[in-house]
Amino acid sequence: MRIAAILPVLNEAARLEGLLLSLIEDQHFDELIVVDGGSTDASVETVCKFMSPEEPDTQPVPILIQSPRGRALQMHAGAQAAEADVLLFLHADSILPPGAADDIRDAVEGGRPWGRFDVRLSGRHFLFRVIERLMNWRSRFTGIATGDQAIFVRRDVYRMLGGYAPLPLMEDIEFSARLKWIGRPACLPGPVLASSRRWEKHGIIRTILVMWTLRFLYWLGVSPARLARWYYRHT
């Protein structure tokens, strides 16, 4: 069973080299697809360094594609380019746990069409421990996953559902809600280590209130486009 790791990136040069090294050396993915949304830093150059490895047998050699800016658009472009049986969507500021690829294979071969990992936030503040526990518990209870949790799905299921909708916000929540039509997710303990930079930049409590408000309004039916305009004005 082949797995493609898909990374949407935008100005992530500072983190990208370390992430690519970990995916190539520590994991066992069959495809590694980096989808750039128009970076103005050295992100593209960083990926290109890995595309001509000193050891030709190094696997996988990253594939770089360009896409219009927007995480949903970039992830969908990566999924369209992938040939593997399973697609894993990973944020550029997240680190997979050891053996993640093998855990995904075990879950899918065991009959689970999709899933996600538990998450751990990188910050040391005690509130991050509370937040990550609540995120993981909520996801297990509702069956809804967020992008920080490294969603994976069989490629045939992804295509059957039409993949990520071109939304400017809430794309992971919308997609995992449709995935629930197929079945509940495999909840792998992981955890994925996700960056807490957003929380630290804007304040932990403020970020919690903003995210809860956005999700509440989304479930009330407010359009993602309207929510995105409000979000980017306040962050």
Side-chain angles (χ1 to χ4, degrees):
M1 179 174 293
R2 293 168 53 81
I3 303 176
I6 298 169
L7 281 70
V9 302
L10 181 66
N11 296 330
E12 292 287 358
R15 298 172 179 82
L16 198 50
E17 183 166 355
L19 176 60
L20 292 174
L21 276 173
S22 70
L23 290 173
I24 292 171
E25 296 179 356
D26 301 333
Q27 302 291 341
H28 298 92
F29 293 114
D30 303 282
E31 295 179 55
L32 181 52
I33 302 173
V34 181
V35 189
D36 182 72
S39 295
T40 56
D41 66 357
S43 293
V44 170
E45 291 83 350
T46 300
V47 179
C48 288
K49 289 195 302 184
F50 289 87
M51 295 172 66
S52 299
E54 294 180 3
E55 298 180 11
D57 293 333
T58 299
Q59 294 292 331
V61 174
I63 298 169
L64 175 65
I65 63 175
Q66 298 288 331
S67 162
R69 179 178 301 191
R71 187 169 278 160
L73 296 173
Q74 291 171 244
M75 291 190 293
H76 188 65
Q80 294 294 96
E83 298 180 355
D85 307 293
V86 179
L87 311 175
L88 166 73
F89 300 95
L90 181 67
H91 288 183
D93 59 357
S94 298
I95 299 175
L96 290 170
D102 295 330
D103 291 339
I104 292 170
R105 287 188 180 91
D106 290 343
V108 176
E109 289 174 352
R112 309 302 289 271
W114 76 286
R116 79 345 168 241
F117 288 84
D118 281 352
V119 68
R120 180 177 176 84
L121 297 171
S122 61
R124 295 185 178 182
H125 197 287
F126 81 94
L127 281 177
F128 288 130
R129 306 291 78 80
V130 177
I131 293 166
E132 64 201 21
R133 284 176 180 266
L134 291 175
M135 290 172 64
N136 296 330
W137 289 342
R138 181 193 64 214
S139 180
R140 288 178 184 271
F141 178 72
T142 64
I144 297 295
T146 64
D148 290 331
Q149 294 175 297
I151 295 172
F152 59 89
V153 58
R154 280 188 356 224
R155 185 165 61 101
D156 61 334
V157 171
Y158 182 91
R159 293 190 170 182
M160 179 179 68
L161 294 177
Y164 276 101
L167 303 177
L169 206 65
M170 302 293 171
E171 70 282 349
D172 295 304
I173 292 176
E174 190 277 339
F175 184 46
S176 59
R178 284 187 284 129
L179 284 168
K180 285 175 61 180
W181 300 346
I182 307 299
R184 290 187 65 83
C187 297
L188 305 185
V192 169
L193 181 65
S195 172
S196 60
R197 58 180 173 172
R198 178 183 61 191
W199 310 79
E200 293 165 343
K201 177 180 178 181
H202 301 296
I204 298 174
I205 300 301
R206 183 175 182 273
T207 302
I208 292 173
L209 293 175
V210 168
M211 298 310 298
W212 283 0
T213 300
L214 288 171
R215 285 176 183 150
F216 178 68
L217 293 174
Y218 175 73
W219 289 118
L220 287 180
V222 179
S223 74
R226 185 175 179 183
L227 293 176
R229 289 194 297 270
W230 184 85
Y231 173 73
Y232 290 117
R233 280 201 306 267
H234 292 82
T235 56

